[in-house]
Amino acid sequence: MANYEGQAVTSGSDVRSGSMIFVPILEDGVFRFDCSVNDRDAAYPSISFANSRDRDTPISTQKVPLYIPTFECLLEQQVVKLELPVGSSLYGTGEASGDLERTGKRVFTWNTDAWGYGPGTTSLYQSHPWVLAVLPNGEALGILADTTRRCEIDLRRESTIQLVASSSYPVITFGPFSSPTEVLISLSKAIGTVFMPPKWSLGYHQCRWSYLSDQRVLEVAKTFRKKCIPCDVIWMDIDYMDGFRCFTFDKERFRDPTSLVRDLHYSGFKAIWMLDPGIKQEDGYFVYDSGSKNDVWVQKADGTPYVGEVWPGPCVFPDYTQSKVRAWWANLVKDFISNGVDGIWNDMNEPAVFKVVTKTMPESNVHRGDGELGGCQNHSFYHNVYGLLMARSTYEGMKLANGNKRPFVLTRAGFLGSQRYASTWTGDNLSTWEHLHMSISMVLQLGLSGQPLSGPDIGGFAGNATPKLFGRWMGVGSMFPFCRGHSEAATGDHEPWSFGEECEEVCRLALKRRYRLIPLIYTLFYFAHTRGIPVVTPTFFADPKDPSLRKLENSFLLGPVLVYASTLQRQGLDKMEINLPKGIWLSFDFNDAHPDLPALYLKGGSIIPVGLPLQHVGEANPSDDLTLLVALDEHGKADGVLFEDDGDGYEFTKGNYLLTHYVAELKSSVVTVSIHKTEGSWERPKRRLHIQLLLGGGAMLDTWGSDGEVLQLMLPSEDEVLKLVSTSEKQYKDRLENATAIPDVEEVSGPKGTELLKTPIELKNGEWDLKVVPWIGGRIISMTHIPSGTQWLHSRIEINGYEEYSGTEYRSAGCSEEYSVIDREPGLVVLEGDIGGGLVLQRHIYVPKNVANIIQIDSSIIARSVGAGSGGFSRLVCLRVHPTFILLHPSESFVSFTSMDGSVHEVFPDSGEQFFEGNLIPNGEWKLIDKCLGLALVNRFSVTEVFKCLVHWDCGTVNLELWSESRPVSKQSPLRISHQYEVIRISE
């Protein structure tokens, strides 16, 4: 092996910098980089690699890397930079919200309970310190920072990848290879491929927080069958438990889970149940007693078990970094499975902890980890892999329970490599069109980071979907690898029939379409499992050299099928302009075209298998008719593959499967379809074979025969083909025009405050993008600083965000009333709400002219019609400005200001709640500083209007409140507070 050692450049006693040294590993084109030989020798084991030794074992090759990262080590931080050719496009970064193409973005890998995240949220539930770069020539390169610690992935400079984490850690590059698919195949050889899912798990899943009784579960299942809407799985959220105690069942509402599951199985349903990591601290509770006896809990620095509050109250947490603890948990899972459990849902495993600012356990907690993982370390080392290790333990427990069944685990938190054990979803999203649009990029991004089995909560988790939003989302979601509807407590019902007949029919069509494509989806997962080939990919995978495809976010590839969806509220399929990649793409459907369903195209040169529109996967019979859709390429050829086995278990690993390679070829106006070759010992079913040859415009020719025979179709003359295409296109257009549209309702019934679908007022000007909801408190629910891409407000539609009150009491009049818009101009909105007693609360929100970086809010309590009997004065009022700011990095955030008396204050999250008044109030401004981002939100105000300031830290949030004096007001003496916000950079 050639000598690849390099010499780092050293400048000063505290700084090291230079080009990284490298060795080839794994296979040709994969290189490990370190800052020095000493750093390489001292590196911790890899948890992302399926086999840590693969990262540490050099191979012999003559290849050298084309791109060599540089590094700088300063103050215990290692900064790695990789510069690529101008015009490179950047993807990956794992579970990330916002745009598909990541240039200009910055992500921090720190698993976070991120309810209601937005496009600017920088830390979500999972961590994937990985970037996929597509070079201008269509080749691709991947880079992995092999560290479990918090890692900054900075893509703000064009064609430049910067990684920052605690020293020291290796960096692995993959490629450049000829295509992004080849990079992902190579990545899978390092981090492992997705587990082979049981076939039933590819059907539709129905979930809710929560179905509150076994009777309600059976009612939902019965309704699916009655309405002929396909579904395979019903999910049980946390309320099935006895007081939120894991591995228990509520004795009243879920008295006999075994009988419940038996009834579900009889109707063709599987049952999936939730398990959280937080174990109630309660003597006499068998899980707590057993765990304490076996010393399995995460510890504080003093060696005592850490106790944090979650759903059951005070909880302890298993330390999954120890093999003995994973075995303990796996045995609990094994026993739990005996109740008829078909799958397990691991939630809250970031791990999430209530009533603490960081929303998780302290970084000083101690994990007594196995040496193969990194040994005994504090929580900051293992935080990002806690969810992965929990999912691994759950997966292993399910295999213990029945080695002849494939486990199905869904995990919220994860890390590179989680796909070996679990599927995932995109967390607690919102019932908004923005989140519908974003769900496509998020699923694709996870697939580009090694996790192909994912999907969003269809319809949105938080808030009430409208019929059109839900139907459109089901149309898109039915094409995702993981397909589940889920909704939050206190929202309206979100089953497919809950939105009227029109939406119900769209959902039925969408899910029947999915079930017809399950033979294709299952085949794609076989190749994802065996080779690491992604299941869904961005459209540019069809032609990586075409830069015009690289930012498309409303279309994607499901194998060779291009799915083109509308994610805009007032733009159905009939109004979309569809730009296809280069080559032949032939449209098709199942006579189910509808303006709210995606358009489907099959790539020329492809054959895909299609099944029957079943009610559930278990209804399938190997002898059922099989359809092959055929799209010839420009040379008159096509090929495709079908994988078949028992749909569960591991016999396929012993050769008991059937992999059929079909080919089609056009010669002398005759298209011949035959089997080119087969693999496996599974016997070919005796079944009819239906060939459908796509001609374009939805037109097709077909013929029937027996699977295994050579079948032929006679191609008509060119004129006849054109007539068929023209007729089909007209029929397609007629179907779209005559389809019963889903009503475009903007408001839905539900508990007050959950009407997410009224359209917020968007105030976008200069550097700010705000969303204001006049109909409930006139609140600002989103405040995004455009240059930095940061969203500062934490808001549910009915609470938090930016609120104002008319009294000192929390949520006094002004925060929930309906406001009127009394003026609306570019960059300005004026709102007014009646707060009773002849008073109104008026709010001017605007970007001052020629000051693009400022958002100004002028608020007043004004007396409009105060009775003469009161002398023209109102009741006692106080204008209380109550913004709730999200803490993207709670442990790295604090409030800073200088008081009127000149004293300097830094207020940190552990200080709880503090009032400042008199000479201690800030001298006209205070800052919310995020050291991790290097940004500060500055709030400026007039000290003549503000009499008291309040800092209140909560779980992942902080309130920076401004209070006026408390007094009555008259027409001549309103109360006012004028203040402004600006985002500035701070020196790091």
Side-chain angles (χ1 to χ4, degrees):
M1 185 180 71
N3 181 10
Y4 298 111
E5 307 298 346
Q7 181 63 49
V9 178
T10 304
S11 58
S13 58
D14 296 326
V15 181
R16 291 188 299 142
S17 63
S19 296
M20 303 186 83
I21 64 170
F22 62 88
V23 292
I25 60 169
L26 202 66
E27 64 175 356
D28 274 358
V30 180
F31 298 92
R32 170 181 172 166
F33 291 87
D34 294 271
C35 298
S36 69
V37 173
N38 288 340
D39 288 307
R40 180 187 300 157
D41 293 341
Y44 288 109
S46 176
I47 297 179
S48 59
F49 271 58
N51 183 345
S52 183
R53 291 189 297 275
D54 288 343
R55 189 202 65 183
D56 301 333
T57 305
I59 63 169
S60 180
T61 181
Q62 295 304 310
K63 286 193 174 182
V64 295
L66 291 180
Y67 301 97
I68 297 178
T70 59
F71 77 94
E72 181 179 75
C73 292
L74 174 65
L75 300 176
E76 299 183 344
Q77 293 287 297
Q78 176 179 315
V79 180
V80 174
K81 187 177 293 185
L82 183 65
E83 297 191 358
L84 300 170
V86 174
S88 297
S89 303
L90 306 177
Y91 305 90
T93 71
E95 186 181 55
S97 55
D99 299 335
L100 174 66
E101 206 281 320
R102 305 303 292 167
T103 298
K105 303 297 182 183
R106 184 161 59 154
V107 168
F108 295 85
T109 63
W110 188 253
N111 291 1
T112 302
D113 180 359
W115 181 98
Y117 58 84
T121 304
T122 56
S123 297
L124 295 181
Y125 308 88
Q126 304 203 14
S127 294
H128 298 76
W130 157 262
V131 179
L132 174 68
V134 181
L135 307 180
N137 64 359
E139 293 182 349
L141 169 84
I143 182 168
L144 185 163
D146 201 16
T147 176
T148 60
R149 295 184 184 273
R150 185 197 309 268
C151 180
E152 175 188 342
I153 306 172
D154 189 346
L155 308 179
R156 289 176 294 177
R157 283 187 55 199
E158 184 183 356
S159 304
T160 301
I161 300 167
Q162 181 170 288
L163 307 165
V164 184
S166 297
S167 301
S168 65
Y169 58 91
V171 168
I172 319 297
T173 63
F174 299 79
F177 294 129
S178 61
S179 70
T181 298
E182 291 303 312
V183 173
L184 294 176
I185 291 173
S186 184
L187 174 67
S188 75
K189 294 174 183 176
I191 67 172
T193 62
V194 67
F195 71 99
M196 185 64 184
K199 197 171 185 179
W200 59 260
S201 69
L202 303 181
Y204 176 65
H205 300 241
Q206 183 62 52
C207 186
R208 178 165 177 81
W209 177 30
S210 283
Y211 293 126
L212 292 175
S213 71
D214 48 14
Q215 291 306 304
R216 176 59 179 152
V217 170
L218 292 173
E219 179 187 353
V220 170
K222 181 179 179 181
T223 306
F224 270 103
R225 296 295 179 252
K226 179 182 177 182
K227 291 181 173 289
C228 296
I229 300 174
C231 183
D232 264 87
V233 191
I234 307 290
W235 290 60
M236 267 52 74
D237 208 318
I238 196 169
D239 292 286
Y240 79 83
M241 300 177 189
D242 178 12
F244 305 129
R245 297 171 184 86
C246 286
F247 302 103
T248 69
F249 299 90
D250 186 280
K251 296 177 179 62
E252 296 297 324
R253 293 180 288 111
F254 288 87
R255 286 170 291 187
D256 189 351
T258 304
S259 293
L260 169 63
V261 172
R262 189 185 307 119
D263 290 342
L264 288 172
H265 285 178
Y266 180 79
S267 301
F269 288 93
K270 303 293 185 183
I272 294 179
W273 308 72
M274 175 183 283
L275 289 176
D276 289 350
I279 301 300
K280 186 175 179 66
Q281 186 190 36
E282 179 182 65
D283 290 334
Y285 166 36
F286 76 98
V287 180
Y288 176 72
D289 292 343
S290 169
S292 298
K293 179 181 177 181
N294 288 282
D295 189 24
V296 304
W297 311 126
V298 174
Q299 295 181 344
K300 296 188 294 185
D302 64 7
T304 60
Y306 166 73
V307 179
E309 185 146 332
V310 205
W311 295 112
C315 288
V316 288
F317 297 80
D319 184 359
Y320 300 108
T321 67
Q322 302 178 64
S323 57
K324 74 164 190 176
V325 179
R326 294 195 298 276
W328 169 81
W329 182 269
N331 277 290
L332 287 171
V333 169
K334 175 186 173 185
D335 294 342
F336 188 59
I337 295 295
S338 66
N339 294 287
V341 171
D342 296 302
I344 292 178
W345 173 14
N346 288 159
D347 196 23
M348 303 290 288
N349 54 344
E350 291 74 31
V353 178
F354 295 162
K355 298 183 180 179
V356 292
V357 173
T358 61
K359 301 201 283 190
T360 192
M361 61 177 63
E363 294 184 32
S364 59
N365 276 4
V366 175
H367 295 266
R368 294 162 287 165
D370 299 334
E372 65 183 29
L373 298 181
C376 185
Q377 300 280 351
N378 64 22
H379 184 66
S380 63
F381 183 90
Y382 284 120
H383 173 84
N384 284 334
V385 296
Y386 188 87
L388 177 153
L389 295 172
M390 181 187 184
R392 172 182 169 180
S393 307
T394 304
Y395 178 90
E396 290 169 350
M398 292 195 72
K399 289 195 77 170
L400 270 179
N402 190 337
N404 295 320
K405 285 190 174 182
R406 300 173 202 162
F408 183 82
V409 179
L410 181 81
T411 184
R412 188 168 80 175
F415 190 72
L416 277 170
S418 293
Q419 75 284 342
R420 302 194 294 265
Y421 314 109
S423 57
T424 194
W425 85 107
T426 60
D428 295 342
N429 58 358
L430 302 179
S431 292
T432 65
W433 289 92
E434 179 180 53
H435 275 253
L436 161 59
H437 180 81
M438 207 158 57
S439 67
I440 297 177
S441 295
M442 293 184 72
V443 169
L444 295 176
Q445 221 67 273
L446 281 162
L448 298 181
S449 304
Q451 172 53 285
L453 186 45
S454 75
D457 286 342
I458 293 173
F461 175 71
N464 282 327
T466 59
K468 185 170 283 294
L469 175 63
F470 190 88
R472 194 79 63 79
W473 211 327
M474 184 66 79
V476 179
S478 66
M479 296 292 102
F480 287 147
F482 176 58
C483 180
R484 183 183 76 155
H486 184 35
S487 53
E488 187 178 40
T491 60
D493 289 344
H494 277 63
E495 291 76 35
W497 54 84
S498 303
F499 300 91
E501 293 181 1
E502 299 88 354
C503 180
E504 178 184 321
E505 177 60 14
V506 167
C507 292
R508 185 181 293 108
L509 292 173
L511 291 173
K512 283 186 174 182
R513 176 183 280 189
R514 177 183 183 82
Y515 276 66
R516 295 209 67 181
L517 291 173
I518 278 181
L520 167 66
I521 298 171
Y522 191 56
T523 299
L524 293 173
F525 268 104
Y526 172 74
F527 286 108
H529 172 68
T530 55
R531 292 189 55 201
I533 297 174
V535 174
V536 292
T537 57
T539 304
F540 73 79
F541 270 53
D543 185 4
K545 296 180 181 179
D546 185 351
S548 70
L549 302 177
R550 294 190 181 183
K551 294 185 178 182
L552 287 181
E553 296 181 338
N554 64 341
S555 62
F556 57 92
L557 292 164
L558 176 65
V561 176
L562 178 62
V563 180
Y564 229 111
S566 172
T567 56
L568 301 177
Q569 181 176 358
R570 305 193 189 283
Q571 182 195 62
L573 179 62
D574 52 333
K575 298 177 182 177
M576 282 183 63
E577 182 178 332
I578 295 175
N579 298 311
L580 298 173
K582 185 172 65 177
I584 295 173
W585 295 88
L586 301 179
S587 63
F588 72 95
D589 58 39
F590 303 105
N591 293 318
D592 57 1
H594 192 283
D596 291 310
L597 291 179
L600 303 179
Y601 297 85
L602 184 59
K603 183 179 182 180
S606 303
I607 299 174
I608 62 168
V610 173
L612 299 177
L614 306 172
Q615 293 299 295
H616 59 94
V617 170
E619 194 179 20
N621 189 304
S623 61
D624 288 340
D625 294 345
L626 173 68
T627 297
L628 297 179
L629 294 185
V630 179
L632 299 175
D633 63 14
E634 62 271 24
H635 304 296
K637 295 183 178 182
D639 62 76
V641 185
L642 171 63
F643 173 77
E644 299 172 277
D645 70 347
D646 292 327
D648 206 343
Y650 294 95
E651 285 298 309
F652 77 97
T653 65
K654 303 170 185 176
N656 193 16
Y657 66 93
L658 180 62
L659 189 66
T660 306
H661 296 256
Y662 294 97
V663 293
E665 186 172 10
L666 171 64
K667 284 186 177 179
S668 303
S669 299
V670 175
V671 176
T672 302
V673 180
S674 61
I675 293 174
H676 173 61
K677 65 176 181 177
T678 63
E679 299 175 25
S681 60
W682 206 63
E683 186 177 352
R684 181 173 303 282
K686 292 180 172 56
R687 61 190 170 199
R688 295 198 305 167
L689 183 64
H690 185 201
I691 304 296
Q692 293 185 312
L693 177 67
L694 303 184
L695 302 175
M700 60 179 67
L701 298 175
D702 70 339
T703 190
W704 286 85
S706 296
D707 188 22
E709 296 179 347
V710 175
L711 300 181
Q712 292 186 325
L713 299 92
M714 179 68 70
L715 203 63
S717 68
E718 187 173 336
D719 286 344
E720 289 174 313
V721 168
L722 290 174
K723 287 179 183 178
L724 288 171
V725 170
S726 176
T727 300
S728 178
E729 287 175 339
K730 183 179 184 306
Q731 291 172 344
Y732 176 77
K733 184 178 179 181
D734 289 343
R735 285 202 303 272
L736 287 181
E737 290 177 351
N738 296 326
T740 304
I742 301 175
D744 195 10
V745 179
E746 287 195 1
E747 184 177 340
V748 292
S749 61
K752 185 172 184 181
T754 60
E755 296 88 351
L756 272 170
L757 273 302
K758 280 184 173 179
T759 305
I761 293 173
E762 185 170 23
L763 185 66
K764 190 173 184 179
N765 205 23
E767 295 186 359
W768 289 98
D769 185 0
L770 277 65
K771 290 184 173 63
V772 183
V773 290
W775 64 91
I776 179 163
R779 74 183 64 252
I780 306 172
I781 61 168
S782 175
M783 194 167 88
T784 302
H785 182 246
I786 299 170
S788 64
T790 48
Q791 156 64 284
W792 289 91
L793 286 176
H794 172 81
S795 180
R796 292 175 180 253
I797 201 76
E798 78 281 9
I799 193 171
N800 294 332
Y802 178 96
E803 302 176 327
E804 291 179 355
Y805 311 149
S806 62
T808 57
E809 302 83 8
Y810 176 62
R811 294 186 64 76
S812 53
C815 73
S816 59
E817 288 76 8
E818 183 165 356
Y819 280 56
S820 300
V821 179
I822 60 176
D823 194 7
R824 179 79 173 92
E825 299 174 15
L828 165 74
V829 62
V830 182
L831 308 168
E832 193 172 277
D834 187 337
I835 56 175
L839 300 178
V840 297
L841 207 163
Q842 190 178 99
R843 190 173 310 138
H844 295 240
I845 309 168
Y846 59 100
V847 176
K849 291 182 179 178
N850 304 318
V851 193
N853 57 326
I854 298 292
I855 190 73
Q856 180 82 27
I857 303 175
D858 300 336
S859 298
S860 307
I861 297 177
I862 301 171
R864 280 280 163 78
S865 55
V866 177
S870 61
F873 285 90
S874 72
R875 67 181 185 272
L876 190 69
V877 290
C878 170
L879 179 54
R880 179 179 172 184
V881 175
H882 177 85
T884 301
F885 297 114
I886 190 167
L887 301 174
L888 296 175
H889 308 100
S891 61
E892 300 291 323
S893 300
F894 64 98
V895 175
S896 173
F897 63 90
T898 300
S899 289
M900 295 279 288
D901 65 3
S903 57
V904 177
H905 299 260
E906 289 187 344
V907 187
F908 289 89
D910 57 6
S911 61
E913 180 174 285
Q914 292 189 46
F915 275 104
F916 300 91
E917 45 193 322
N919 285 333
L920 290 179
I921 70 167
N923 189 15
E925 73 171 40
W926 51 357
K927 302 183 185 78
L928 173 58
I929 294 173
D930 186 323
K931 291 191 295 182
C932 210
L933 290 175
L935 298 175
L937 178 68
V938 184
N939 180 205
R940 300 186 183 93
F941 54 88
S942 169
V943 295
T944 62
E945 296 174 339
V946 175
F947 281 66
K948 186 184 293 186
C949 295
L950 170 67
V951 180
H952 173 79
W953 301 95
D954 206 337
C955 191
T957 64
V958 64
N959 303 112
L960 298 185
E961 295 194 14
L962 308 175
W963 295 35
S964 75
E965 62 180 323
S966 294
R967 63 170 172 83
V969 299
S970 67
K971 291 183 178 180
Q972 291 74 35
S973 60
L975 274 177
R976 290 195 177 94
I977 293 181
S978 296
H979 63 121
Q980 60 183 220
Y981 295 101
E982 179 187 3
V983 172
I984 63 171
R985 297 206 172 274
I986 58 171
S987 56
E988 300 186 20

